[in-house]
């Protein structure tokens, strides 16, 4: 399933994104004579029965040719209210090289906060003194079950699904101090979307093409098989130290091709009016317009 969060009449709801367009989950729940028709991503992720139930409803709706009663007024990030937002730095060797940093022996972990979360096609308005704005195309893992000290072999059983992410980074703020946080979690610096692809549709998250385009021009192109630490390993490693909960997300790192990786003379930081898109194989396209500075 492709599941998108959206807003309708100021309210957050859940839609299937189908070939015929968005289909509101709550509408189909009502047609199934369910009294409780309010469906959000938070509810979906916390209810272990939800994936099978929604799959059944979707097939029913498809078999009956049912069209949605309402379309979203606005598409949000598929997980609009993540718990933890964990990020992995330097997880592709060529990116570590272009950043002139050492190949890490352990995953380099940092974080973003909820203020950074926006959906596809939502303009980002960077803070005024963040001049060195850069893109980072990433595969995002969305947790679907509580995970504590899970083994690598079973780690993917704890995943609800995957989406595109852009770990937008202001390099001047990132390197102002030796903690990267400030340059990583300004408002809107964590675009995700356009929808969540459920884990059953992704045979191997550690073998997906990943592409970033800047105004249509390809600037990053790799495959998640090139990650130093795989999705499986990251879940295993992180869950040794902190319990992962449904709705926690992991930005798994970016490949080479970021602006920061170029020589100083060649660096052309993102500007107002440009558009960055991230496409991981099978996950659609996350579009981020760069808005005015504020
Ligand atoms: Zn990153």
């Amino acid at each position: 399933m492709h599941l998108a969060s959206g807003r309708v009449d100021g309210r957050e709801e859940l839609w299937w994104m189908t070939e015929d367009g968005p289909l509101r989950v709550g509408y189909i729940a009502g047609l199934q004579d369910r009294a409780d028709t309010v469906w959000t991503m938070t509810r979906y992720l916390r209810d272990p029965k939800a994936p099978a139930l929604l799959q059944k409803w979707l097939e029913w709706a498809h078999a009956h040719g049912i069209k949605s009663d309402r379309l979203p007024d606005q598409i949000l990030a598929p997980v609009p209210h993540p718990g933890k937002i964990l990020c992995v730095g330097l997880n592709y060797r060529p990116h570590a090289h272009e950043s002139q940093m050492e190949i890490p022996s352990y995953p380099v972990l940092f974080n973003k906060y909820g203020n950074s979360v926006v959906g596809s096609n939502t303009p980002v308005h960077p803070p005024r003194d963040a001049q060195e704005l850069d893109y980072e195309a990433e595969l995002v893992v969305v947790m679907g079950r509580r995970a504590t000290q899970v083994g690598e072999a079973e780690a993917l059983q704890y995943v609800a699904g995957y989406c595109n992410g852009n770990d937008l980074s202001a390099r001047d703020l990132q390197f102002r101090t030796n903690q990267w946080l400030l340059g990583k979690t300004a408002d809107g610096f964590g675009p995700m979307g356009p929808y969540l692809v459920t884990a059953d549709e992704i045979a191997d998250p550690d073998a997906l093409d990943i592409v970033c385009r800047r105004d249509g021009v390809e600037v990053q192109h790799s495959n998640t098989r090139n990650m130093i630490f795989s999705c499986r390993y990251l879940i295993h490693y992180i869950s040794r130290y902190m319990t992962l909960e449904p709705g926690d997300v992991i930005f798994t790192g970016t490949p080479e091709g970021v602006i920061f990786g170029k020589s100083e003379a060649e660096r052309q930081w993102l500007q107002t009016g440009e558009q960055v898109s991230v496409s991981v194989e099978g996950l659609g396209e996350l579009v981020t317009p760069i808005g005015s500075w504020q």
Side-chain angles (χ1 to χ4, degrees), residues 264-287:
E264 274 185 48
E266 287 176 317
R267 288 175 186 164
Q268 300 206 341
W269 305 109
L270 291 170
Q271 301 294 332
T272 302
E274 288 194 278
Q275 187 165 283
V276 180
S277 84
V278 176
S279 313
V280 176
E281 189 178 349
L283 304 186
E285 184 180 33
L286 167 66
V287 177

Side-chain angles (χ1 to χ4, degrees), residues 88 110 136 138 167 184 253-254:
V88 184
F110 63 96
E136 292 194 357
E138 308 202 3
D167 173 17
K184 291 290 194 173
T254 200

Side-chain angles (χ1 to χ4, degrees), residues 150-158 230-233 235-236:
V150 299
E152 211 177 327
E154 75 257 21
L156 295 185
Q157 294 169 17
Y158 294 80
S230 67
C231 293
R232 292 166 174 82
Y233 184 81
I235 294 164
H236 160 66

